[in-house]
Structures are given as structure tokens and as C-alpha cells.
Amino acid sequence: MSSDPLNSEPVAGDEPALAAAQVAAQATAPMQRLHWSSVFFETISHGRQILFPVLIAFFFGAANGNWYWTLLALIGFAFALVTTLFKYFTLRFGIRNRELIVSHGLLFRQVRTVPTRLIQNMDLVQNLLHRPFGVAEVRIETASGAEAEAVLRVLTLKQVEALRAEIFPAGAKAAVAAIAPGTGAAETSGPIASTQIPAGAADPPVELVRIPWRWLVIVGLASNRGWQLVVVVIGAIFNFAQFDSMDGKTWRKWIPWISEHLPGWWTAIMLILAGLILLKLLGMIWFVLRFHGYRLDRVGDDLRVTCGLLTSHSATIPRQRIQFISLQSSPLLRLSGLQTIRIETAGSSAVSGENAQTAVTRSWFIPVAPRERTAALLNELRPGLEWDEASVQWQPLSPLVWRRLLRMVIVLPLLTAIGGGIWLPPWGWLIGVALVGPMFYSAWRTSRGQRYARTGFGVAFRSGLINRKLSLTFFERLQALRLEQSPFDRRWKMAQLKLDTASAGPAEHLIHVDYLDENFARDEFKALETLAARHQPVWK
């Protein structure tokens, strides 16, 4: 072994030397290029905006003998293809000095740098077209949350493995193997492809949750996800169907059996039942397609999720980035001993909508899990968190809340009945009568289901009687505290306490506690201000 420290190689277990060698290798690492199949996938990704309109213009122009539109279509398609090729040949990425660098462009060159310590999520998507090429799409996100800091479409799995090892050193290989087990990737050269994880640096993955398909069926039955597919179908019908040319006879031809054999109110009943069954079937299909093969592992301080039937999805969520945990359940899930666990990470509130990249990491972190494992799972999500709901001393709402809500149940339907009777005689007053039931239930649910508690680690908030939601956040994660009073609140000596984190929103359960006693709300607001300022982040 050489005694020269400059020429000696670091050995396993010598962490400072290994870290220094890794930083030195990064400083001189050449930039990498996307996989050659990126041209194909980039072209497909522009399908909605460019390719499909171009093809429609081409076929309509050829059919009508108008070659002017066909020529424009060909020019548009060529422009899209040249743009894609230009991006492929100019885009480079790599990690230098612990920063992710992505550059593209030739005349107008853009370079984006992201410190690896700020990267919160590194998500992988591998659909059916990706698998034959052994590639995957990579989305890298920070706490900004507005959009992905970088989208690399596409990389080989070897590139993904090495990139993840640089960003999240512990257990990078296990995560890539999980998204496409047994899938070979083309060999790539360069430091990104050849970076090796130091011996002993990667912790073995610890399986936390594996979801069987029957649980997905149950949560699909309990959800209303089928409405999303129904909206898509209705939109397609209104876009393509020619309703102006349809008369009553045309509609009856669509459903001849129902028109002849199930007249009157039986038709409505059968259609409603068929619609409800269809919605539940669509909900089950949505959950099975999205979360088939779901597995949650802990690798070091990272949580790794893999799932998906047609499109495999993999996500990395560092535990120290979790801001908010929400436990949610419907009656069917409670009867089955199951629940949904959602989380929020910093910056996730800025992302609107839900797609394959955000559904797992934000909206449906653990779509279904046994309720008996709640304490163990919470301790994995937040090390040291001990939660026992039965021992929590919940703060009830103001003792005047039921009286206040009951007056609303009486006054608002009465005013609605008077207005309906005047503007929609003679039966308009029935609108006010119809409001009594829903408003009474809403008042009962609010007064009985909403509870607040301050615990040793932070704040707990519970709401709902039928669909129950219980959310937890932590003192060091509180970003905004608000104490609000409306004129009606002051009249009833009540106040609203609103607590927001850096990611309030995606779990669909904000900690906004209404109808608290005014004195308690003021004292609690001051106490939370002090605790939020005193507590420092648990992880550095």
C-alpha cells in the first residue's frame, strides 16, 4: 500500500476519504446526454399540442384535395421534429460540486443549477413503451413545488441508478431495481453511469407496506374516483356527438330494450342503479391500474414507493421533508379495518391537479393500509412519533356552538322558503324545506366531529363523522398562524384558529378550527407562536 496520501485510495469505512473522493470526482465529471430514444418519447409527449392537430390537418387536407393545408401540416410536423432533435443534441445534465446542472440550447443557452441538498423528490415513470428500451422518465422536484425543477425524458436505468446515488446516497440501487426488476439497461459510459456507491453506505431496504389487490378493490368501492372517468366520457360525447341532428327517435334507438320493456319510473331506477354500479367499477379499475403492486420501503432516511400496472411509478420522499400526515377513512374502509394515509411535503401546495407523477407522492401516499398498524407506520414516517388517539385529550368546541348552528338551520331554510314562494310560486317554498335535512346534518357533523388537540410533538385535528379525517403536524413545521373572528364570531364569543404548514393543501384536510371558545383560541394562539419559534427542525 502506498504511503503517499495523494496516491492512496480510500478504503471502505473511511467516510471522510470516500466523501472527499466523491466530491473530487464530481468536480471533473463530464456532462451526460439523454438516451437516444428521447427523440421518440419527446415527439410523443408533444402529441396533444402538435402531432395530433398536424395529423388531422394532413388527412383533411388530403381528403379535400387542398394541398395547402397538407403542406402546412407537413411543415408543422417537421418543425416539431427538428425542435425535438435540437433539444436532444443540446441538452446535457450532470452533478458537479453537489449541484445538479441541466443545460440546453445553442444560441440562447439556458443553464439551471439545483443544489442536491434541496432536492425533495426524485420520481421515476416507466410506461409500456419505456420498458423495451430499458429507460424511464425522471422528474426532480424541490420545495418550490410550482413545477418540476428538471424533467429528464428519458434516461437508462443505469443512469437513473447513478443519479439517485448522487442525490440520495443510501440505497439508490434498491429503488431502481424496484421499478423495473429484471430489466436490463443499455450500458452507458461516463461518471454518471459508472459512479459506485461506497461499500457499507447503502442501507438494505425495509419493507413497510405491500398492498394486495383485494385492498385496492375495497378502497375503489369506497371512493368516488369513477366520476373522473365519467367526466372524460361526457366531455368526449359533447365534443364529437352532433346533438343538433338528433331527435327523440334517435335517442330511443340507442336504448331500444329499455324503451320497450322498462317504461316509466322503473327506467329511472334501473338507470340510476346501473350508473352507481358503473361508477364503483370505474373506481376499482382506477385504483388497480394506478396502485397495482404497491410497495413502500424505507432505505436509510428515504421512503421509496413503487406501484403501477401499465405505467410503473417510483418516487423518493426523504422523511425529513414530511410536513403533514393525514389519516382518512370512509365507513367501508373502517368496516374492513383499513384507512388511507396521506402526507404533504414542503412546496407541494403549489401543484394543481393530479397525474401519475403527483398522485403517489402527494394525493395518495399510502392509498390503503391496516388501521392496526397505524402507530408503527407513523413512527416510520416520523421517527420517535408515538401516537395513541385514545389517550389524547381533545379540546371541544365552544359550548354555544350547537345553539348557534341550530339557529342557522332554522333561519336560512325559512328565508329560502319565503324567497322561493315569492319567485317560484306555488311550490318554490319547498326548496327551503329541502334544505332543512342537509343543514341539520352539517350542523350535527360540525359540532360532534370537529376536535382539536395540542400534543407533545405538535397539533392534531379531527373532523367528520361518516368520512373521518385525522391530521397531524409538528411545531417546527408551522409556517403561518392565524386567529380570525367574524362579526358573528364576536357575537357568540368564538374565534377561528387556522394553522398552515409550508405545504398546506394536497392532503385535503386543512387545520382550520372553527367555533372555538374565544378565550381558549387566544391563549392557544399565543402558546403555538411560542412553541413554533422555540422548536428547531428535527433533521439538519
Side-chain angles (χ1 to χ4, degrees), residues 138-382:
V138 177
R139 298 176 62 89
I140 296 173
E141 300 176 348
T142 64
S144 65
E147 60 181 8
E149 292 293 337
V151 178
L152 303 176
R153 187 187 296 117
V154 290
L155 303 181
T156 66
L157 296 183
K158 276 186 171 291
Q159 287 178 303
V160 172
E161 175 185 334
L163 186 62
R164 190 191 293 272
E166 299 283 359
I167 298 174
F168 306 114
K173 293 185 177 181
V176 177
I179 186 176
T183 304
E187 295 292 336
T188 57
S189 59
I192 288 292
S194 61
T195 300
Q196 299 295 323
I197 303 175
D203 296 332
V206 178
E207 182 179 310
L208 303 181
V209 178
R210 185 187 293 268
I211 298 179
W213 67 269
R214 64 180 181 277
W215 290 2
L216 297 176
V217 170
I218 293 174
V219 72
L221 284 173
S223 73
N224 295 316
R225 284 284 142 180
W227 281 108
Q228 291 186 339
L229 299 180
V230 170
V231 170
V232 173
V233 172
I234 293 176
I237 291 175
F238 276 90
N239 282 330
F240 297 105
Q242 298 178 356
F243 290 104
D244 295 337
S245 62
M246 295 183 180
D247 53 18
K249 293 182 179 180
T250 304
W251 286 105
R252 289 177 64 87
K253 290 179 182 179
W254 285 16
I255 48 174
W257 190 88
I258 295 178
S259 300
E260 295 176 5
H261 297 87
L262 294 175
W265 58 277
W266 277 107
T267 302
I269 293 176
M270 294 299 293
L271 288 176
I272 291 174
L273 291 176
L276 292 176
I277 293 173
L278 178 61
L279 286 175
K280 295 304 179 182
L281 288 175
L282 292 176
M284 289 187 293
I285 292 172
W286 186 89
F287 273 92
V288 171
L289 290 177
R290 181 62 58 86
F291 299 108
H292 178 268
Y294 179 98
R295 176 173 171 172
L296 172 64
D297 294 328
R298 175 177 56 80
V299 185
D301 267 340
D302 296 340
L303 299 172
R304 304 289 169 82
V305 176
T306 56
C307 62
L309 183 60
L310 300 180
T311 298
S312 298
H313 182 76
S314 175
T316 300
I317 304 97
R319 290 195 296 183
Q320 63 267 33
R321 304 298 187 184
I322 295 177
Q323 307 272 329
F324 189 93
I325 303 173
S326 184
L327 313 176
Q328 305 180 11
S329 63
S330 65
L332 180 58
L333 287 181
R334 289 195 297 275
L335 287 174
S336 305
L338 302 171
Q339 65 184 354
T340 295
I341 301 180
R342 301 189 180 191
I343 65 168
E344 294 177 0
T345 57
S348 56
S349 60
V351 179
S352 61
E354 181 182 283
N355 52 41
Q357 288 76 29
T358 63
V360 174
T361 56
R362 297 188 177 94
S363 300
W364 298 95
F365 178 62
I366 305 180
V368 57
R371 297 181 65 192
E372 62 187 16
R373 295 196 57 208
T374 298
L377 288 175
L378 290 180
N379 187 262
E380 289 288 351
L381 299 183
R382 170 86 175 192

Side-chain angles (χ1 to χ4, degrees), residues 50-51 54 71-85:
I50 298 176
L51 186 58
V54 164
L71 180 61
L72 287 181
L74 291 174
I75 293 174
F77 179 77
F79 178 78
L81 184 59
V82 169
T83 302
T84 301
L85 288 170

Side-chain angles (χ1 to χ4, degrees), residues 246-537:
M246 295 183 180
D247 53 18
K249 293 182 179 180
T250 304
W251 286 105
R252 289 177 64 87
K253 290 179 182 179
W254 285 16
I255 48 174
W257 190 88
I258 295 178
S259 300
E260 295 176 5
H261 297 87
L262 294 175
W265 58 277
W266 277 107
T267 302
I269 293 176
M270 294 299 293
L271 288 176
I272 291 174
L273 291 176
L276 292 176
I277 293 173
L278 178 61
L279 286 175
K280 295 304 179 182
L281 288 175
L282 292 176
M284 289 187 293
I285 292 172
W286 186 89
F287 273 92
V288 171
L289 290 177
R290 181 62 58 86
F291 299 108
H292 178 268
Y294 179 98
R295 176 173 171 172
L296 172 64
D297 294 328
R298 175 177 56 80
V299 185
D301 267 340
D302 296 340
L303 299 172
R304 304 289 169 82
V305 176
T306 56
C307 62
L309 183 60
L310 300 180
T311 298
S312 298
H313 182 76
S314 175
T316 300
I317 304 97
R319 290 195 296 183
Q320 63 267 33
R321 304 298 187 184
I322 295 177
Q323 307 272 329
F324 189 93
I325 303 173
S326 184
L327 313 176
Q328 305 180 11
S329 63
S330 65
L332 180 58
L333 287 181
R334 289 195 297 275
L335 287 174
S336 305
L338 302 171
Q339 65 184 354
T340 295
I341 301 180
R342 301 189 180 191
I343 65 168
E344 294 177 0
T345 57
S348 56
S349 60
V351 179
S352 61
E354 181 182 283
N355 52 41
Q357 288 76 29
T358 63
V360 174
T361 56
R362 297 188 177 94
S363 300
W364 298 95
F365 178 62
I366 305 180
V368 57
R371 297 181 65 192
E372 62 187 16
R373 295 196 57 208
T374 298
L377 288 175
L378 290 180
N379 187 262
E380 289 288 351
L381 299 183
R382 170 86 175 192
L385 175 60
E386 296 182 0
W387 174 253
D388 181 11
E389 185 176 354
S391 64
V392 175
Q393 295 183 353
W394 295 100
Q395 172 65 33
L397 303 181
S398 168
L400 301 176
V401 63
W402 179 245
R403 188 185 305 176
R404 174 180 174 178
L405 294 177
L406 191 59
R407 289 193 181 186
M408 294 175 59
V409 171
I410 297 174
V411 173
L412 290 181
L414 180 61
L415 294 176
T416 304
I418 294 173
I422 294 174
W423 294 101
L424 298 171
W427 304 106
W429 59 273
L430 290 175
I431 299 176
V433 175
L435 286 177
V436 174
M439 290 194 63
F440 185 86
Y441 166 72
S442 177
W444 177 63
R445 180 186 63 182
T446 299
S447 62
R448 295 291 301 275
Q450 186 170 281
R451 292 293 183 268
Y452 165 87
R454 173 156 48 92
T455 67
F457 58 82
V459 169
F461 177 58
R462 186 180 70 188
S463 67
L465 289 175
I466 296 179
N467 293 316
R468 298 178 184 174
K469 297 181 179 181
L470 168 64
S471 295
L472 313 173
T473 191
F474 316 100
F475 292 130
E476 75 275 7
R477 302 305 187 189
L478 294 177
Q479 298 289 321
L481 309 177
R482 288 178 289 166
L483 183 67
E484 298 181 359
Q485 274 188 304
S486 67
F488 293 104
D489 289 330
R490 288 192 291 271
R491 164 69 178 80
W492 290 92
K493 299 184 184 302
M494 298 180 187
Q496 307 169 38
L497 187 61
K498 299 184 177 182
L499 314 177
D500 293 335
T501 66
S503 57
E508 299 178 355
H509 193 222
L510 300 178
I511 302 182
H512 292 178
V513 193
D514 302 324
Y515 309 115
L516 286 171
D517 177 78
E518 181 180 18
N519 294 328
F520 170 81
R522 293 187 184 279
D523 293 341
E524 189 67 13
F525 178 77
K526 293 179 181 178
L528 288 175
E529 274 190 323
T530 302
L531 289 168
R534 180 188 306 166
H535 282 72
Q536 298 297 321

